[in-house]
Amino acid sequence: MGRLTTHVLDTAHGKPGTDIRVELWSVAGERRLLRDVKTNHDGRCDKPLLEGDDFQAGEYELVFHAGDYFAAQGVEVPTPRFVDRVVLRFGIAEPDQHYHVPLLVSPWSYSTYRGS
């Protein structure tokens, strides 16, 4: 059964990104909010963002509220923040597969990849 998962790594401090707000949007046609969750102590969501019949082929966005996370960590950054909300738009072509979309983030950079 296919599913969508994510996790966040704080590369500035070498630890999981805990308590980061993550929004999942469907962007196929009308933009629609599907999930609004926070990462746990391990930088992961407690359950898949999508799975089963809810996990369909299409275009999606994950919005990570990284700037708020770093502000809560006491990191001093300029206003406006260089990295604030990180928006990752991606496609699901095979909904019977596991799509893992991690975020590696610092106040100055970020990267992602399709994990397993």
Side-chain angles (χ1 to χ4, degrees), residues 11-29:
T11 58
H13 298 102
K15 64 180 187 174
T18 61
D19 204 33
I20 296 176
R21 183 178 175 198
V22 179
E23 298 170 65
L24 172 66
W25 294 83
S26 171
V27 293

Side-chain angles (χ1 to χ4, degrees), residues 3-116:
R3 66 190 185 280
L4 172 64
T5 58
T6 190
H7 77 274
V8 182
L9 296 173
D10 173 347
T11 58
H13 298 102
K15 64 180 187 174
T18 61
D19 204 33
I20 296 176
R21 183 178 175 198
V22 179
E23 298 170 65
L24 172 66
W25 294 83
S26 171
V27 293
E30 183 179 320
R31 193 168 190 262
R32 186 170 44 101
L33 181 64
L34 302 175
R35 301 282 184 278
D36 192 341
V37 299
K38 289 206 172 181
T39 58
N40 62 23
H41 69 283
D42 197 32
R44 299 178 183 275
C45 299
D46 289 331
K47 60 183 184 176
L49 295 169
L50 288 176
E51 63 183 332
D53 292 339
D54 291 334
F55 191 50
Q56 311 248 336
E59 289 186 67
Y60 296 88
E61 281 183 359
L62 283 169
V63 180
F64 298 87
H65 292 250
D68 293 342
Y69 163 78
F70 286 112
Q73 298 294 305
V75 175
E76 291 187 36
V77 294
T79 302
R81 299 167 179 159
F82 184 72
V83 171
D84 192 14
R85 290 187 182 160
V86 177
V87 179
L88 302 178
R89 183 175 280 205
F90 58 96
I92 301 296
E94 300 174 275
D96 60 332
Q97 301 290 313
H98 178 195
Y99 282 72
H100 184 68
V101 184
L103 177 69
L104 289 73
V105 66
S106 82
W108 308 108
S109 67
Y110 63 89
S111 65
T112 191
Y113 56 93
R114 181 176 172 193
S116 59

